Amino acid sequence: MSVDTVARHGDDCARAEETVVLGVGAVTPEQVLTVARRGAAVTLSEGALLAMSESRRRIKDLAEDPKPVYGVSTGFGALATRHIPLRLRARLQRSLIRSHAAGSGPEVEREVVRALMLLRLSTLATGRTGVRPEVARVYAALLSAGITPVVHEYGSLGCSGDLAPLAHVALAVIGEGTVRDADGVQMQAREAMSAAGIEPVVLEEKEGLALINGTDGMLGMLVLACHDLRRLLSLADVTAAMSVEGLLGTDRVFAPDLQALRPHPGQAAAADNMTRLLAGSAIVASHAGPDCTVVQDAYSLRCAPQVAGAARDTLAHAERVASWELASAVDNPVVTLDGRVESNGNFHGAPVGYVLDFLAIVVADVASMSERRTDRFLDVARNHGLPPFLADDPGVDSGHMIAQYTQAAIVSELKRLAAPASVDSIPSSAMQEDHVSMGWSAARKLRRAIDGLTRVLAIEALTAARALDLRAPLAPSPATGAVRDTIREQVPGPGTDRHLAPEIEAAVTLAASGRLLETAEGVVGALA
């Protein structure tokens, strides 16, 4: 399964005429998106440059002190007991970056690396790491030039920072390793930097450590996932409304007074979305009278707001955690406001890892309910008068039979991806780092899960649109009808069997690009 459908259908190598200014305060999710996906340039405020200069003076003072200070005049991790003489300290920092740039596996997506770089730069800009302003300027210059270091899938345990991914970025900062330029061409870092007029840095005391000691990779992926999932949850309300309509369900269960009996805010928002989406439906009205013999709809229809609503509330919690982390200065040791240099454990990725895992559970369950609604359309015993599998000539034609198989395969994968990474811990560094978060792994699987949910919802929309056509001459609501019509621009209506894979991919593109959601919102206004 592709890990970046949402990004892939956007502007993967975009360069925007925008500039994000980083100060000493928290970076915002919108700034992350602007830099990661829209290719914005980055610059540093005067306040940030001043804060870095002031804390750097404190590090220089400690470097001349005979008393060992971790990361300044000692080795790292389990090797922290060795005092490093002054003549070896530049080599110490360079060796740290080279040895920790030990990633393996597939290349990580450009938007993830750019998010990671921005967030590490944001921490440097707080002045709490003791890094020189010129080091931070190189990070900003690389981002602004669209130069992206090559980072690999495996290497981070999510503790002591996303070490290997961040080290591959830092390797480029010192002019080593491989990168991709603004056009996506892979080349040596020094070559790309020379072409862009960027001078590599020679790291001094503590700087190598400060460049790799953060949760920036997992946090960047959390911010991107939260943005994508919020849109997909609104789309889930759209596809659920289409299915309720196409399966001759009722909208009465979404009434505000019924939702108020269980006052979860996400549930109320989802139910309100579905009520608005179904307003004016001739299909719903056709069976709303006393002659209707259906007493209650199946759970996948009736309880859609409860599941999508709980997903929203979980997402809101994840967004709060992300906001706290975006306001953090994660490093070890850290330069405090009063000038102390103190060791700490803020690099541990547990807070981020937990919510990444929680969101993967949410994604799997929302997708599972969507698949169940699709399956009802195909079963003649449950679809209230539609042909088996929505086929043109059942038996000769199979209709959408195998589209549901595809959904089921994805949902099964999503359930595996919902198994939490954060409950695992493999000790490292000779038992000095004896508990790790695995937050990077949680983030990687969430990206794959977001892609899977996009595909599942797209197939539900494709199937529901076919069912709405088969309900003619009864008309769908203005909102669901508009979504159906948008799909029809890319995929023909009911008929004999056609090559189904391209039609599914067309629906996936419409879902991932936001086009289906935008179409619905063009009729009913913004959805929660």
Side-chain angles (χ1 to χ4, degrees), residues 484-496:
R484 186 268 319 272
D485 293 344
T486 296
I487 293 172
R488 289 290 162 260
E489 294 173 8
Q490 304 294 324
V491 179
T496 57

Side-chain angles (χ1 to χ4, degrees), residues 104-284:
S104 183
E107 191 174 334
V108 171
E109 305 81 18
R110 179 178 186 267
E111 67 172 23
V112 171
V113 180
R114 285 183 63 83
L116 175 154
M117 293 172 69
L118 176 73
L119 293 172
R120 183 70 329 217
L121 178 57
S122 175
T123 287
L124 301 182
T126 66
R128 306 276 62 81
T129 70
V131 166
R132 289 170 295 155
E134 46 263 50
V135 177
R137 285 194 181 101
V138 172
Y139 272 77
L142 290 173
L143 285 165
S144 298
I147 297 172
T148 307
V150 172
V151 172
H152 300 280
E153 178 85 11
Y154 304 111
S156 174
L157 303 183
C159 204
S160 293
D162 288 319
L163 290 176
L166 285 163
H168 279 276
V169 172
L171 196 66
V173 170
I174 66 174
E176 299 182 16
T178 56
V179 301
R180 291 191 181 275
D181 68 9
D183 296 320
V185 177
Q186 186 168 319
M187 62 182 68
Q188 292 300 303
R190 189 171 292 274
E191 178 187 354
M193 294 171 77
S194 176
I198 303 170
E199 189 70 26
V201 299
V202 177
L203 299 175
E204 297 183 1
E205 294 91 348
K206 192 187 177 298
E207 290 181 330
L209 186 61
L211 299 185
I212 64 175
N213 221 323
T215 58
D216 309 291
M218 65 182 91
L219 176 59
M221 285 185 275
L222 174 61
V223 171
L224 296 171
C226 285
H227 174 266
D228 296 339
L229 185 53
R230 186 155 289 284
R231 294 197 310 168
L232 287 173
L233 290 178
S234 295
L235 179 60
D237 292 339
V238 174
T239 62
M242 295 173 73
S243 291
V244 166
E245 191 173 30
L247 288 164
L248 302 186
T250 179
D251 62 349
R252 293 194 305 274
V253 295
F254 310 134
D257 59 340
L258 296 177
Q259 307 307 313
L261 296 173
R262 195 185 192 194
H264 293 273
Q267 177 180 322
D272 179 67
N273 284 350
M274 293 184 68
T275 297
R276 291 159 57 200
L277 289 162
L278 289 168
S281 170
I283 297 176
V284 171

Side-chain angles (χ1 to χ4, degrees), residues 28 42 86 242 262 266-267 284 295 301 307 369 383 395 404 422 455 481 522:
T28 68
V42 179
L86 187 62
M242 295 173 73
R262 195 185 192 194
Q267 177 180 322
V284 171
V295 178
L301 306 177
V307 171
M369 182 173 259
N383 66 16
Q404 182 268 331
S422 56
R455 295 175 183 279

